[in-house]
Amino acid sequence: PSGKEYLLVDNIAPDELRQPSGARFVKKPRGEVLTVSFIGFIRYLERNLEIIDRLTRDERFRVEYHGAGADYQRLCDYQAALPAAQRDRLIIGGYYDQQRDRPQLYRRADIINNYYPPAVRVQRLATSNKVYDALYFRRPQLVARGTYLEELIAGWGVGAALDAAVRAGFSAAL
């Protein structure tokens, strides 16, 4: 709009954007373990704990969380209380250096957990930085049903929208 000033804020460093990510998506053969990674500020843990519970019960998945945030310690406590088999399928990487580590974390992931619960209006309408990072690194995304992210992901054909509150068939749907 005329008369407005805009400030460009890069989520990805401009130097990084000038070169291809070097990432490509390779669909794993049936039977190989899929890594579902959450990369970023750890919060909104309630629904994510449901996702962790469903996926770590399934040998086909490994779940990774990389980052810090309001719910980081609670996530660590949750992991410690899991049965051994589930605990082994949940990797908590903690803080990472955005410039140095983020590209490798995205390249290592098979699916990006971009699930923000739709219970709060701002979460239903928001687009997280993970949307653009996952696109840049060519990774499909898991998002919540009933959100704007569901519309974007469906329109672009780059992921799946699921409801973490639904127990039956969650991991099979993913």
Side-chain angles (χ1 to χ4, degrees):
S2 151
K4 301 284 182 184
E5 291 186 34
Y6 293 89
L7 174 64
L8 176 64
V9 180
D10 295 309
N11 181 52
I12 298 176
D15 291 343
E16 197 173 354
L17 281 176
R18 287 188 195 98
Q19 51 190 305
S21 71
R24 57 188 199 103
F25 178 73
V26 177
K27 186 175 179 178
K28 285 189 170 177
R30 185 174 293 277
E32 284 194 33
V33 174
L34 294 174
T35 299
V36 179
S37 296
F38 183 98
I39 303 166
F41 191 76
I42 298 172
R43 57 186 171 176
Y44 309 124
L45 200 55
E46 290 309 317
R47 283 291 181 236
N48 275 282
L49 291 179
E50 292 174 346
I51 292 170
I52 291 167
D53 181 63
R54 284 157 187 64
L55 295 181
T56 58
R57 289 176 185 270
D58 189 324
E59 298 175 339
R60 298 174 295 176
F61 294 95
R62 179 176 64 224
V63 179
E64 294 188 3
Y65 274 74
H66 300 282
D71 287 328
Y72 176 77
Q73 187 55 54
R74 193 165 152 230
L75 177 62
C76 292
D77 294 343
Y78 178 83
Q79 180 190 37
L82 286 172
Q86 281 183 272
R87 188 172 48 246
D88 291 345
R89 291 188 197 108
L90 174 58
I91 309 304
I92 301 175
Y95 175 83
Y96 63 93
D97 181 276
Q98 182 81 332
Q99 295 303 314
R100 184 190 68 224
D101 302 328
R102 184 175 50 88
Q104 187 58 36
L105 293 174
Y106 272 89
R107 287 184 185 108
R108 191 169 71 205
D110 296 307
I111 300 169
I112 300 303
N113 176 354
N114 196 5
Y115 195 100
Y116 290 92
V120 178
R121 185 172 192 264
V122 70
Q123 294 168 354
R124 279 193 310 273
L125 302 175
T127 55
S128 69
N129 291 334
K130 283 189 264 317
V131 170
Y132 308 105
D133 286 343
L135 289 171
Y136 181 72
F137 289 105
R138 294 179 169 84
R139 294 299 182 260
Q141 302 172 51
L142 165 62
V143 300
R145 286 218 168 154
T147 63
Y148 179 59
L149 284 178
E150 176 183 18
E151 293 177 36
L152 289 178
I153 298 310
W156 294 333
V158 293
L162 298 174
D163 183 348
V166 176
R167 286 184 178 275
F170 183 86
S171 61
L174 186 57

